[in-house]
Amino acid sequence: MGFARTCSVALVGVEGVVVEVQADLEPGVAAFTLVGLPDKSLSESRDRVRAAVVNSGAEWPQKKLTVGLSPASVPKGGSGFDLAVAAAVLGAAERIDPRAIADLVLIGELGLDGRVRPVRGVLPAVLAAADAGYRQVVVPEQTAGEASLVPGVSVLGVRTLRQLIAVLSDEPVPVEEAAEEGRPDAMLAGLLVPGAGLGTGLAAGPAEGPDLADVAGQRRARLALEVAAAGGHHLLLSGPPGAGKTMLAERLPGILPPLTRQESLEVTAVHSVAGILPPGEPLVRSAPYCAPHHSATMQSLVGGGNGLPRPGAVSLAHRGVLFLDEAPEFSGKALDALRQPLESGHVVIARAAGVVRLPARFLLALAANPCPCGRHTLHGAGCECPASVVRRYQARLSGPLLDRVDLRVEVEPVTRADLLGQGGRGETTATVAARVHAARDRAAARLSDTPWRVNSEIPGHELRTRHLAAPGALAAAERDVERGLLTARGLDRVLRVAWTVADLAGHDRPDSGDIALALELRTGVARGVPVGAGQFA
């Protein structure tokens, strides 16, 4: 009787569970049984592993073979267990030393010819293995860079099963042919899922991405964009078509600070699981940008799919920007599903196959027209929408959702002078990004002994007890609460915006002018404060 064990990782959302892969050989009729709640693609590994072992020059054991995946209560899916199953079988057959694989974590799919193909989710899988105390992992060669991002873990990248057998048996490692230069590597096909990005793109830096200076006029909207980026505040841009709402939103990721190391790992893990991590880019360093079409379903926004839920748009925009253009055209059910992740920074999805918790701390940017034709606020533009139609259209953005949006700005039509550049060119993305970065540094220093890093994350009770505004500064906000113009949540969000305005202006704490500007950006009602782009310069 032969027995061997090794380890692999089962992914549940973006979290991993270390799975022990055990192989047992007993005398009897040759058979291959796989147990431990495998799905269809994992059950098919029996044929892939058998062909890969034989085509790699090893002998397939002609005995009763049982492979168990433990813990048996955890659902397991995908082809990433192939390499661990093959190693356990070869260890049980004594082709390799069972002790050499007992503390290894192996992740990878096997082709019938023995080549090791890359799989999605390598980074979160290796993170889970490291958290469980494992220090040696074997992954496909193409994803070795991604696995090496985890500190304290020794990574071995292999191209074929023959190479793995040689390394574990202390034999000369065969040299395998690489893909011809200039031709696409077919082995990378498993890493990318066509159409899975939901409009996701990794935002370029200030030098490569679209420049904020390209936007003509819109001083108030540019100011709101700067405040949103500095404090992580959600933003609503409303106005007629052609005013520049989409242009502004597309330039928002460019003024966000670069991701920290921890944030980069979080974003990379989500993109790796979703199958949209660009080949050759193991670490995402810039804030992601996700702009789904208005026909997107609730499942595509918050996550879903057959079996265990897959990351949706809110998770693909984690630590970045989720832009909903033509927001009233989205279904009300899909929009209201955003309310929970907007508050908590994560989304919990329960399905028959299990419960998954996915990260979803994003900056929400909404763009909306005032009516179906978009000309309701324009003088002499000929809007023919009845008043009831306008009310119904605007009511598609529910009150509870808008109450969670910190900044609401009316984007006015561009004037001829601004369009022709007679009013001067606006500030560049790099200039605004530098001020945003400085404001974030001030907030991070102030919140260094707390679990929060940006003003939008501070709970309301902390704002009212520990992070106080200047004496008398809240008088205008308190009057709005008494009049019913602000809810309790709205007051907390005004305070958060005021702290961001203070950080941009270099104030130690918000004064009455900062509060007035925060109220104006939230309510749209002029408070006698001069508002314009570059006022924090």
Side-chain angles (χ1 to χ4, degrees):
M1 183 180 70
F3 177 82
R5 64 179 181 87
T6 188
C7 293
S8 190
V9 178
L11 288 178
V12 182
V14 294
E15 299 178 355
V17 178
V18 176
V19 173
E20 189 175 75
V21 181
Q22 303 171 339
D24 178 69
L25 283 174
E26 295 181 355
V29 178
F32 188 170
T33 304
L34 183 64
V35 298
L37 284 184
D39 71 350
K40 180 65 174 177
S41 60
L42 180 50
S43 297
E44 292 173 348
S45 68
R46 294 174 297 186
D47 301 315
R48 292 194 299 269
V49 170
R50 182 187 291 109
V53 168
V54 173
N55 290 327
S56 298
E59 182 180 353
W60 184 259
Q62 298 300 318
K63 296 182 179 180
K64 181 182 178 182
L65 170 62
T66 303
V67 174
L69 308 174
S70 179
S73 59
V74 176
K76 305 164 191 73
S79 55
F81 291 87
D82 290 1
L83 198 59
V85 172
V89 171
L90 292 172
E94 298 184 351
R95 173 61 181 86
I96 57 179
D97 187 356
R99 294 172 296 180
I101 61 174
D103 295 324
L104 275 183
V105 174
L106 299 101
I107 304 165
E109 176 186 333
L110 285 175
L112 301 183
D113 56 356
R115 289 185 298 174
V116 181
R117 303 179 66 91
V119 294
R120 301 190 301 274
V122 166
L123 177 60
V126 177
L127 284 170
D131 291 341
Y134 292 88
R135 292 294 174 260
Q136 293 181 314
V137 298
V138 179
V139 298
E141 186 180 66
Q142 294 87 345
T143 56
E146 183 181 342
S148 299
L149 297 173
V150 182
V153 175
S154 175
V155 178
L156 172 63
V158 295
R159 183 173 289 272
T160 64
L161 181 59
R162 287 199 308 158
Q163 287 184 337
L164 178 62
I165 294 173
V167 170
L168 296 176
S169 303
D170 291 329
E171 300 172 357
V173 179
V175 179
E176 303 291 348
E177 295 183 1
E180 294 184 18
E181 188 174 354
R183 295 186 60 184
D185 190 353
M187 300 287 283
L188 299 176
L191 291 179
L192 298 176
V193 179
L198 291 172
T200 297
L202 299 181
E208 300 86 6
D211 201 317
L212 196 57
D214 298 336
V215 180
Q218 305 302 352
R219 293 173 176 81
R220 183 184 299 271
R222 290 168 61 98
L223 171 66
L225 215 67
E226 183 175 344
V227 173
H233 304 289
H234 307 306
L235 171 68
L236 168 63
L237 300 171
S238 57
K245 302 186 295 295
T246 303
M247 285 187 67
L248 287 162
E250 288 174 345
R251 284 151 180 77
L252 180 55
I255 62 176
L256 291 175
L259 301 178
T260 65
R261 175 74 178 187
Q262 180 60 35
E263 291 171 346
S264 293
L265 290 176
E266 294 174 6
V267 174
T268 303
V270 175
H271 283 64
S272 178
V273 169
I276 58 174
L277 193 65
E281 298 286 342
L283 184 65
V284 178
R285 292 183 173 87
S286 57
Y289 174 76
C290 188
H293 191 260
H294 62 257
S295 61
T297 63
M298 183 184 70
Q299 289 76 15
S300 66
L301 284 182
V302 301
N306 295 328
L308 287 175
R310 308 288 295 177
V314 297
S315 297
L316 299 179
H318 180 59
R319 301 296 181 184
V321 176
L322 175 63
F323 175 50
L324 302 186
D325 200 3
E326 306 292 347
E329 300 293 343
F330 284 77
S331 73
K333 189 176 181 182
L335 289 174
D336 286 337
L338 300 176
R339 286 152 55 178
Q340 185 260 338
L342 284 175
E343 288 288 334
S344 63
H346 64 266
V347 59
V348 178
I349 309 170
R351 294 291 186 271
V355 179
V356 172
R357 184 181 187 273
L358 298 169
R361 188 167 294 283
F362 55 90
L363 194 162
L364 177 64
L366 302 170
N369 292 328
C371 67
C373 75
R375 301 191 297 270
H376 178 65
T377 57
L378 299 179
H379 298 290
C383 175
E384 298 179 354
C385 299
S388 59
V389 172
V390 175
R391 287 195 300 270
R392 281 199 303 269
Y393 187 80
Q394 295 178 351
R396 292 181 182 179
L397 298 179
S398 67
L401 175 64
L402 290 179
D403 202 34
R404 290 166 169 82
V405 177
D406 303 343
L407 310 173
R408 308 172 192 174
V409 179
E410 290 287 339
V411 182
E412 301 293 337
V414 182
T415 64
R416 181 175 61 87
D418 288 331
L419 193 60
L420 297 178
Q422 298 174 1
R425 195 164 183 258
E427 292 180 312
T428 64
T429 293
T431 301
V432 178
R435 288 202 300 268
V436 169
H437 197 286
R440 288 260 184 140
D441 288 343
R442 292 190 189 97
R446 184 176 68 253
L447 303 172
S448 58
D449 58 343
T450 70
W452 315 294
R453 289 296 173 265
V454 293
N455 293 319
S456 62
E457 299 175 0
I458 307 176
H461 67 88
E462 291 287 331
L463 291 169
R464 294 187 294 270
T465 55
R466 295 183 56 188
H467 302 278
L468 300 176
L474 288 176
E478 291 170 353
R479 285 196 299 269
D480 282 1
V481 172
E482 292 175 355
R483 295 170 182 168
L485 300 178
L486 276 181
T487 64
R489 181 191 289 117
L491 176 61
D492 291 343
R493 292 188 175 275
V494 167
L495 290 173
R496 293 168 183 167
V497 174
W499 270 106
T500 301
V501 172
D503 288 333
L504 286 167
H507 300 161
D508 292 334
R509 56 178 176 171
D511 56 22
S512 57
D514 299 329
I515 296 291
L517 180 53
L519 283 169
E520 182 168 343
L521 290 175
R522 178 173 179 83
T523 63
V525 179
R527 306 283 172 157
V529 180
V531 176
Q535 72 180 67
F536 298 122

